[in-house]
């Protein structure tokens, strides 16, 4: 069905779905406050619009009023748990009174960039994108006006440059853009996985430069970064990452061992533990099966002799690498983040859908990833406290890692093959 072309561009259906969604919010506001109705749709909206953006702009106002000179331990920015280097953006002249205008503007840019990135769609693909763009995590990002919506848009611009430019100088500008946002908010640095696009020697050279520069910045800012990372409310709901499931298990065990839990809650907590153990057993089985396939692949045609059939030449491979790297970096390294950061997985959708249509060795993993993505975009707000979304996120992360390995450049596959083929021979 995904292969079938439609007479009209499916993006019109996506736009219609978005207009219908916001139109429903507008109409509902005549009967109840819109933010309360929005909560019914799974978005934990608040009365004040774009509160994350308002907090950042308020920090700019604070910086101008206090006249801070140092970029270290600037009290205006520690209040919003952002690096003090953000004070260098005060010169832009943005103020808290610009919140509504900028919030709407950033949201429009976000949707425009997304519609350009995804390209022409058929009706079935349009349904997938409509479901994702109208999902609670994406709408939470829009509702809060979080700076991640700006980062997403700039990363989208970088991806378009990387995909469409043959000149190295333009791609270098795109890599610098990704690096800049990595310095500004750390997690985008994982997106530099797109440098795998380059030939081996250039990849190694650029990787060395960016790694050295980022480590230098990281070490210079380690004090602030530790302070920021320590400001954490221990949330479980509406979050993803490896720490979430472990935090949930710790919480449940503490309740069971406290002796303060009644019989009903004890049974519920035991059910949670059983569900978690069951899911982890499924994850282990999936990983073992993937490992078996990987061993077979490693011993046979892991390295493609036909460059035209190489997964490295896939149409949207740069989009997929950036999205997968950011998601895996967030999931496995940072470990606990609000679900609105799932929005960056949208970049992976064009390639995932393309692999499904091609019916190659990544078609089945891509289908599984697509189902997991759509499910987890809706699971967190509606299935709490069953932790189903976190279990799905573990399976999704494992699947993305597997897909990323099989779509590595051939030179990197050759290196892996030489190092591991003897150890994993079958």
């Amino acid at each position: 069905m995904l292969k079938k072309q439609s007479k009209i561009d499916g993006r019109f259906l996506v736009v219609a779905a978005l207009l219908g969604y916001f139109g429903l919010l507008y109409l509902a506001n005549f009967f109840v406050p819109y933010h309360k109705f929005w909560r019914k749709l799974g978005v934990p909206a608040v009365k004040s619009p774009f509160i994350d953006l308002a907090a950042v702009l308020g920090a700019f106002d604070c910086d101008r009023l206090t006249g801070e000179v140092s970029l270290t331990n600037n009290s205006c920015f520690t209040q919003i748990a952002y690096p003090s280097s953000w004070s260098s953006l005060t010169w832009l002249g943005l103020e808290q009174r610009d919140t509504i205008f900028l919030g709407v503007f950033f949201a429009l840019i976000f949707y425009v960039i997304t519609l350009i990135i995804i390209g022409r769609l058929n009706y079935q693909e349009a349904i997938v994108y409509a479901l994702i763009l109208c999902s609670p995590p994406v709408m939470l990002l829009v509702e809060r006006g979080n700076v991640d919506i700006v980062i997403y848009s700039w990363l989208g611009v970088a991806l378009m440059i990387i995909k469409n430019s043959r000149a190295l100088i333009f791609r270098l500008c795109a890599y610098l853009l990704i690096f800049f946002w990595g310095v500004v908010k750390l997690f985008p640095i994982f997106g530099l996985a797109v440098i795998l696009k380059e030939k081996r020697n250039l990849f190694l050279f650029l990787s060395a430069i960016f790694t050295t520069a980022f480590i230098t910045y990281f070490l210079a800012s380690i004090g602030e970064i530790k302070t920021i990372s320590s400001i954490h409310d221990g949330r479980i709901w509406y979050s993803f990452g490896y720490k979430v499931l472990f935090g949930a298990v710790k919480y449940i065990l503490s309740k069971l061992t406290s002796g303060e839990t009644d019989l009903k809650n004890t049974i519920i907590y035991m059910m949670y533990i059983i569900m978690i153990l069951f899911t982890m057993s499924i994850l282990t089985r999936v990983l073992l099966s993937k490992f078996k396939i990987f061993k077979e692949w490693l011993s046979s045609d892991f390295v493609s002799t036909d460059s035209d059939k190489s997964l490295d030449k896939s149409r949207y491979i740069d989009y997929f690498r950036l999205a997968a790297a950011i998601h895996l970096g967030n999931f496995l390294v940072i470990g606990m983040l609000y679900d609105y950061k799932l929005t960056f997985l949208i970049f992976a959708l064009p390639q995932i859908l393309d692999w499904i249509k091609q019916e190659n060795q990544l078609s089945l993993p891509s289908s599984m990833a697509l189902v997991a993505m759509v499910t987890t975009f809706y699971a967190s707000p509606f299935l709490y406290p069953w932790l189903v979304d976190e279990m799905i996120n573990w399976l999704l992360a494992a699947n993305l890692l597997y897909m990323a390995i099989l779509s590595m450049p051939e030179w990197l596959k050759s290196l892996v093959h030489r190092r591991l083929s003897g150890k994993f021979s079958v």
Side-chain angles (χ1 to χ4, degrees):
M1 292 179 65
L2 287 174
K3 291 183 179 181
K4 188 177 181 180
Q5 294 296 320
S6 57
K7 293 182 179 179
I8 64 172
D9 192 336
R11 286 180 290 185
F12 288 108
L13 297 180
V14 177
V15 173
L18 290 170
L19 292 176
Y21 188 102
F22 287 109
L24 182 62
L25 284 178
Y26 177 76
L27 293 175
N29 197 49
F30 287 104
F31 304 97
V32 294
Y34 83 95
H35 65 280
K36 292 184 178 180
F37 181 78
W38 218 342
R39 292 175 188 171
K40 299 293 183 182
L41 299 178
V43 181
V46 294
K47 187 175 182 180
S48 301
F50 308 121
I51 59 169
D52 286 3
L53 177 60
V56 174
L57 297 180
F60 290 154
D61 288 339
C62 169
D63 187 60
R64 279 186 286 266
L65 288 172
T66 57
E68 287 272 7
V69 178
S70 174
L71 298 184
T72 305
N73 298 323
N74 188 321
S75 59
C76 295
F77 292 88
T78 55
Q79 294 173 11
I80 58 173
Y82 277 27
S84 295
S85 56
W86 274 69
S87 62
S88 61
L89 300 177
T90 304
W91 67 271
L92 293 173
L94 302 177
E95 302 176 1
Q96 196 168 38
R97 65 181 181 181
D98 302 322
T99 299
I100 301 298
F101 169 77
L102 289 176
V104 173
F105 176 73
F106 290 151
L108 290 175
I109 294 297
F110 163 75
Y111 288 123
V112 169
I113 291 292
T114 300
L115 291 172
I116 295 173
I117 284 285
I118 63 181
R120 183 184 174 88
L121 307 173
N122 60 29
Y123 298 143
Q124 290 76 26
E125 291 170 327
I127 292 173
V128 172
Y129 281 105
L131 285 172
I132 293 294
L133 290 174
C134 293
S135 65
V138 177
M139 285 299 175
L140 179 62
L141 179 63
V142 173
E143 186 267 343
R144 294 295 166 90
N146 189 275
V147 70
D148 285 358
I149 201 170
V150 179
I151 295 175
Y152 174 99
S153 300
W154 278 112
L155 293 185
V157 171
L159 282 173
M160 286 187 282
I161 294 173
I162 293 168
K163 182 177 183 294
N164 299 309
S165 178
R166 294 184 178 181
L168 177 60
I169 185 63
F170 293 115
R171 296 200 302 276
L172 287 176
C173 291
Y175 300 148
L176 286 170
L177 184 58
I178 297 172
F179 179 80
F180 168 77
W181 286 110
V183 169
V184 168
K185 213 177 175 193
L186 299 185
F187 78 88
I189 200 67
F190 299 116
L192 281 176
V194 293
I195 298 178
L196 282 168
K197 178 186 187 73
E198 306 299 338
K199 293 182 179 180
R200 177 179 178 176
N201 290 340
L202 181 57
F203 165 78
L204 294 174
F205 176 72
L206 292 176
S207 296
I209 290 178
F210 284 124
T211 300
T212 302
F214 185 76
I215 290 176
T216 301
Y217 165 76
F218 186 86
L219 292 177
S221 309
I222 191 68
E224 271 198 332
I225 292 172
K226 284 183 177 179
T227 301
I228 292 170
S229 62
S230 66
I231 303 175
H232 194 277
D233 57 9
R235 63 184 180 269
I236 294 175
W237 179 65
Y238 227 109
S239 299
F240 74 97
Y242 80 91
K243 291 181 181 178
V244 178
L245 191 59
F246 295 154
V249 172
K250 182 179 179 181
Y251 172 79
I252 291 170
L253 291 177
S254 67
K255 287 292 184 181
L256 288 173
T257 57
S258 65
E260 303 174 356
T261 308
D262 57 27
L263 180 61
K264 179 182 177 181
N265 285 329
T266 299
I267 294 174
I268 292 174
Y269 290 141
M270 289 300 295
M271 289 177 61
Y272 292 165
I273 292 294
I274 292 171
M275 287 180 62
I276 291 171
L277 291 175
F278 178 71
T279 303
M280 295 308 292
S281 67
I282 293 177
L283 176 63
T284 302
R285 184 169 181 174
V286 169
L287 289 176
L288 288 174
S289 66
K290 297 291 187 185
F291 182 67
K292 182 179 180 181
I293 296 172
F294 179 68
K295 286 197 300 179
E296 295 172 352
W297 199 259
L298 198 62
S299 62
S300 57
D301 57 350
F302 180 67
V303 181
S304 176
T305 56
D306 187 348
S307 61
D308 293 332
K309 294 182 179 180
S310 173
L311 293 170
D312 181 41
K313 305 298 182 182
S314 299
R315 187 177 179 186
Y316 300 103
I317 189 63
D318 301 320
Y319 296 1
F320 174 80
R321 283 176 180 156
L322 180 135
I326 287 179
H327 184 77
L328 290 170
N330 282 334
F331 190 92
L332 299 173
V333 179
I334 299 177
M336 186 174 289
L337 307 102
Y338 276 118
D339 275 354
Y340 56 67
K341 277 190 169 58
L342 292 171
T343 301
F344 290 89
L345 282 173
I346 292 174
F347 290 134
L349 276 175
Q351 186 57 72
I352 287 175
L353 291 170
D354 194 50
W355 276 332
I356 294 174
K357 289 185 285 187
Q358 290 179 19
E359 298 181 358
N360 56 26
Q361 63 266 39
L362 286 184
S363 294
L364 179 58
S366 295
S367 299
M368 294 170 60
L370 179 61
V371 172
M373 285 172 60
V374 174
T375 303
T376 196
F377 269 78
Y378 285 89
S380 186
F382 294 117
L383 294 180
Y384 172 80
W386 291 96
L387 304 177
V388 174
D389 58 313
E390 296 316 314
M391 301 171 187
I392 295 170
N393 271 316
W394 276 87
L395 296 172
L396 175 61
N399 212 35
L400 288 175
L401 180 59
Y402 174 74
M403 295 163 67
I405 291 174
L406 289 191
S407 59
M408 292 188 301
E410 295 305 319
W411 66 264
L412 188 53
K413 281 187 178 182
S414 298
L415 178 62
V416 172
H417 186 270
R418 289 197 301 270
R419 296 291 180 89
L420 301 182
S421 58
K423 297 180 181 180
F424 296 136
S425 58
V426 292

